[in-house]
Amino acid sequence: MRTTSFLLIVVVVIVYAIDVPATGYGESMGTRLWNTTGANGWEPIKNINDKHIQELGDWAVLEFSKRVNCLVKFNKVVSGRQQLMSGMNYELIIDVAHFEGKDGKYKAELHEQELTKKHQLLSFMKVN
């Protein structure tokens, strides 16, 4: 009896394994498969002039200005990359004007929760 039950289970498992198609690495599973194209899932922002990306850059500059109490003005986001992680992480290179008239580039790292529309500035530093 035990041998018959064991053989029946083995046959069912083999039939199931043969009948169910395997999904290989990189194949779509009905919807969009998480595709990590860059290091750790980072990928370049395709349209850096997108209104939302420029608004994020402006927000980052305003948030930085509030935290350090200095006068800087947002010019534009010039490059960046993004990473999907329970929301979206952004690394933006932003062209900024200082109150004395000098322009400079800064790297802003921020996280955005799309559903709640909350933003968090993680870092803001001058780049060469």
Side-chain angles (χ1 to χ4, degrees), residues 37-104:
T37 57
N40 298 322
W42 286 98
E43 56 185 43
I45 297 173
K46 291 182 175 92
N47 182 6
I48 205 66
N49 295 316
D50 180 77
K51 182 181 176 194
H52 181 68
I53 298 299
Q54 294 299 318
E55 287 171 350
L56 285 173
D58 189 30
W59 174 85
V61 171
L62 290 172
E63 190 68 19
F64 172 74
S65 295
K66 284 192 278 186
R67 289 184 186 182
V68 297
N69 197 24
C70 72
L71 296 173
V72 290
K73 179 182 166 263
F74 170 78
N75 286 335
K76 67 179 183 172
V77 177
V78 294
S79 67
R81 60 186 191 154
Q82 59 192 13
Q83 177 190 45
L84 185 60
M85 295 284 289
S86 68
M88 189 67 80
N89 290 329
Y90 292 96
E91 189 176 87
L92 305 175
I93 304 299
I94 305 170
D95 187 37
V96 172
H98 294 270
F99 71 94
E100 25 338 291
K102 294 187 238 169
D103 286 356

Side-chain angles (χ1 to χ4, degrees), residues 3 14-17 25 35 52 77 87 93:
T3 306
I14 291 171
V15 168
Y16 179 76
Y25 180 77
N35 183 11
H52 181 68
V77 177
I93 304 299

Side-chain angles (χ1 to χ4, degrees), residues 59-65 67 107-111 119-124:
W59 174 85
V61 171
L62 290 172
E63 190 68 19
F64 172 74
S65 295
R67 289 184 186 182
K107 178 170 82 171
E109 295 176 356
L110 54 117
H111 179 77
H119 303 106
Q120 180 181 11
L121 185 61
L122 305 172
S123 72
F124 195 91

